[in-house]
Amino acid sequence: MRSFDELLQESSAIHGHHCAGQVLGVRMAMLGCREVGIDEPKGCKKLIVYVEMDRCATDAVQAVTGCSLGKRTLKFLDYGKMAATFVNTETPQAVRVLARDDARALAPVYVQDATSPREAQKQAYRIMPEDALFSVTPVSLRVPAQEMPGYRGDRVQCGACGEGINYHREVRVNGRTLCIPCAQGGLLPNGNGIGKMETLPKVLLIVGYKKVGKTTLIEKLIPELSNRGYRVGTVKHHHSDFPASFDTAGTDTWRHRQAGASSVALASQNLTLR
Ligand SMILES: [Zn+2]
Ligand SMILES: [Zn+2]
């Protein structure tokens, strides 16, 4: 493995500036590689790294290991933790390296004459012992075949947005094959460009005999769901194509609206009123 200073210089150049995160990330990557028996990570083709943060240190881990999203050797777990798991897919050794929370507070103990707390961290992280900076946990982890670089799988189409989905990231919902954003909400293209959060509505069916309390239950559910941040619409099923009244005082649809439904519809086999 090349020297710390050499790796730090290269990493800071790729990252765009020299910061405490670079020092931490370079040391984290050097430690992780060493723990899984990889001396020269770049181009070795047996190292996979799962990073749990999208911070400065992530760039350093990428710079030192040569792992990248595009090569499928860098995996991003959006946990917001300053940690990375290094996997030697051949042996297979794996360790999770976590930056210790107390390292930050310890920095002034190692560097007393720094001009700022950030500067103290930057300098201290260079010289602090590894066990003061990180905790290392061996983990049992076999990378699934479909997560390995070079894996080829069928591409399927999302039943809602029509876009292609690779690497078995599709999910099945009520018998439909959907992409993750269509099924669970997420960033989806819309008329105004990428960025609007869209979700398929969740459907709740209330079925029961006459006068058992369906509407009473719905009247309680609507405010409860609204309080939890859902926008609730209701569809009342009607057995006749010719309802006597819709949305007038006392009817079920009226009660739904009184309970706070943002839209109310009445549907029967051949007729829909909104
Ligand atoms: Zn930075
Ligand atoms: Zn979709």
Side-chain angles (χ1 to χ4, degrees):
M1 174 115 32
R2 289 185 292 152
S3 74
F4 168 76
D5 286 322
E6 203 182 334
L7 289 167
L8 180 65
Q9 203 176 16
E10 187 178 284
S11 157
S12 300
I14 292 170
H15 179 57
H17 62 243
H18 174 57
C19 60
Q22 294 310 295
V23 181
L24 200 66
V26 168
R27 292 198 64 186
M28 179 186 271
M30 291 177 78
L31 170 61
C33 290
R34 198 180 69 230
E35 288 286 325
V36 298
I38 292 176
D39 182 54
E40 197 39 76
K42 274 197 176 161
C44 80
K45 294 193 172 169
K46 56 186 177 187
L47 177 66
I48 288 187
V49 183
Y50 291 80
V51 289
E52 299 177 29
M53 69 282 173
D54 50 354
R55 299 285 303 274
C56 296
T58 310
D59 280 356
V61 170
Q62 178 165 352
V64 171
T65 60
C67 291
S68 74
L69 281 175
K71 283 186 265 185
R72 304 196 82 221
T73 48
L74 186 75
K75 314 287 187 188
F76 176 48
L77 307 168
D78 197 2
Y79 297 162
K81 295 187 181 186
M82 193 60 92
T85 297
F86 299 79
V87 187
N88 182 334
T89 56
E90 275 181 11
T91 49
Q93 297 156 277
V95 290
R96 180 171 183 261
V97 182
L98 171 73
R100 296 176 60 116
D101 273 338
D102 53 6
R104 190 182 292 214
L106 275 178
V109 176
Y110 288 87
V111 177
Q112 279 109 21
D113 54 353
T115 50
S116 69
R118 291 189 87 132
E119 194 54 37
Q121 284 161 27
K122 199 160 78 179
Q123 292 178 32
Y125 291 168
R126 296 176 72 105
I127 54 171
M128 283 169 72
E130 268 176 352
D131 58 1
L133 276 181
F134 304 108
S135 40
V136 179
T137 318
V139 289
S140 172
L141 194 157
R142 281 202 182 261
V143 181
Q146 69 197 54
E147 301 308 321
M148 293 290 282
Y151 175 82
R152 302 219 174 277
D154 291 336
R155 187 178 166 90
V156 300
Q157 211 177 21
C158 170
C161 69
E163 294 178 355
I165 312 159
N166 297 300
Y167 301 123
H168 310 296
R169 297 306 197 263
E170 69 274 17
V171 286
R172 298 281 293 171
V173 180
N174 299 332
R176 297 172 79 199
T177 299
L178 300 178
C179 69
I180 290 171
C182 282
Q184 299 167 5
L187 295 177
L188 267 190
N190 63 33
N192 304 317
I194 303 279
K196 191 178 169 212
M197 299 293 279
E198 291 184 357
T199 47
L200 283 184
K202 292 179 172 50
V203 178
L204 207 62
L205 195 62
I206 314 278
V207 186
Y209 291 112
K210 246 180 186 307
K211 301 285 174 207
V212 292
K214 297 187 296 295
T215 305
T216 307
L217 173 64
I218 289 166
E219 281 176 319
K220 291 187 162 57
L221 271 176
I222 292 169
E224 176 60 34
L225 291 170
S226 303
N227 283 338
R228 295 186 191 194
Y230 292 98
R231 201 153 52 92
V232 185
T234 62
V235 181
K236 157 81 182 168
H237 177 257
H238 194 69
H239 48 82
S240 156
D241 283 348
F242 304 101
S245 55
F246 171 66
D247 220 8
T248 52
T251 61
D252 285 355
T253 47
W254 177 84
R255 285 172 64 186
H256 293 175
R257 200 180 295 282
Q258 291 298 305
S262 62
S263 56
V264 175
L266 184 83
S268 71
Q269 202 169 356
N270 300 307
L271 179 82
T272 302
L273 292 175
R274 286 169 199 276

